[in-house]
Amino acid sequence: MRPLLYSINVTLDGCVDHNAIPPDGPRQEEALRAIHRNATQSIARADALLFGRVTYQMMEGAWRLATRTSTPPEWTEPFARTIDAMQKHVVSSTLDRVDWNAELVRGDLAEAVLKLKQQPGKALFTGGVKLPMALAELGLIDEYEFVLQPGIAGHGPTLFAGLSRYVELTPIDRREIGAGIVALRYTPRR
C-alpha cells in the first residue's frame, strides 16, 4: 500500500496561515527559496497529490503553468513544473468538475483514500489544513512533515486545532533547510 505523506509550513506558535509564512523582511527571499526547494523535494517523493477544494484552488491559481497570469521568480520553476505535472485528487462536495490533471474524490473519505492508497505508485502527498485534519482523525496519514518557521505569528489558524485524539509520533528525519527553517519528519505510532 502506498503511503500518504503530509507536509505543512508552521510557525513556532502553530500558525499555518500561508500569508504569515515567511514574514516580510530581509530574509524573506532566502526563506522562500528554502521552502520551495524543500517542497519540491517533498512532493517529488509522491506521484499523486490529494487536496481539499481550498488547497487545490489556491495551488491551481499559483502554479498551473498553462493559465499563469504572473511571472514568479525563476527559482520557483522546479516546484511549478513538479506540481503542474502531477496527478491530483480533489476532495470536494461543492465543485462540479476539476481539471489540471485532476479528478474529484467523493463519498466516504476513509473509503476513497484507502482506495487511492491501494493503487500502484510511489506515494500520495497532501497539504493544507482542513483535509489533513480529517485524515489525521481517520488515522490515514503515514508520515508528517512540519516545516518549522523561526517566528511567532501571534494569530491562527493553528495546526490541528480541535483534533479529537492524541497522535503519538516517532521522529524519522530532521533537516535544516536554510534561513533558520527546520524540516521535521515523523511517522505515527500505530
Side-chain angles (χ1 to χ4, degrees):
M1 187 175 296
R2 64 184 176 166
L4 176 58
L5 315 176
Y6 171 58
S7 183
I8 188 80
N9 289 292
V10 60
T11 61
L12 292 170
D13 59 342
C15 177
V16 292
D17 180 350
H18 72 277
N19 292 314
I21 300 168
D24 291 335
R27 297 185 73 187
Q28 183 181 37
E29 184 175 324
E30 178 188 0
L32 285 169
R33 284 177 183 259
I35 290 167
H36 280 86
R37 248 189 335 269
N38 183 72
T40 303
Q41 293 169 355
S42 291
I43 66 172
R45 296 174 53 218
D47 54 4
L49 302 169
L50 177 65
F51 289 147
R53 178 192 56 81
V54 171
T55 301
Y56 170 77
Q57 290 178 321
M58 179 183 69
M59 293 300 212
E60 181 183 31
W63 303 112
R64 186 174 186 167
L65 297 177
T67 58
R68 231 185 224 178
T69 58
S70 64
T71 305
E74 180 184 319
W75 46 264
T76 65
E77 281 306 305
F79 178 77
R81 283 191 309 275
T82 301
I83 197 168
D84 187 64
M86 292 184 81
Q87 172 69 39
K88 296 155 194 84
H89 305 280
V90 183
V91 177
S92 175
S93 60
T94 58
L95 292 175
D96 293 327
R97 65 177 193 83
V98 292
D99 53 14
W100 193 40
N101 307 325
E103 64 179 32
L104 282 171
V105 175
R106 302 228 192 243
D108 181 81
L109 181 62
E111 186 178 303
V113 172
L114 285 171
K115 282 182 185 176
L116 290 172
K117 289 175 78 169
Q118 291 169 352
Q119 292 176 1
K122 294 192 308 189
L124 292 165
F125 184 91
T126 193
V129 179
K130 290 176 90 175
L131 176 61
M133 172 77 149
L135 296 168
E137 286 282 357
L138 294 167
L140 293 173
I141 298 175
D142 299 296
E143 184 180 301
Y144 293 81
E145 178 184 55
F146 304 110
V147 183
L148 193 58
Q149 309 294 314
I152 299 169
H155 60 83
T158 57
L159 190 61
F160 294 113
L163 189 67
S164 71
R165 62 185 193 90
Y166 184 81
V167 178
E168 187 174 351
L169 302 173
T170 302
I172 58 170
D173 190 34
R174 179 193 182 283
R175 291 180 301 114
E176 293 187 28
I177 63 171
I181 302 166
V182 179
L184 305 166
R185 288 180 34 221
Y186 299 87
T187 55
R189 287 205 177 141
R190 303 212 192 258

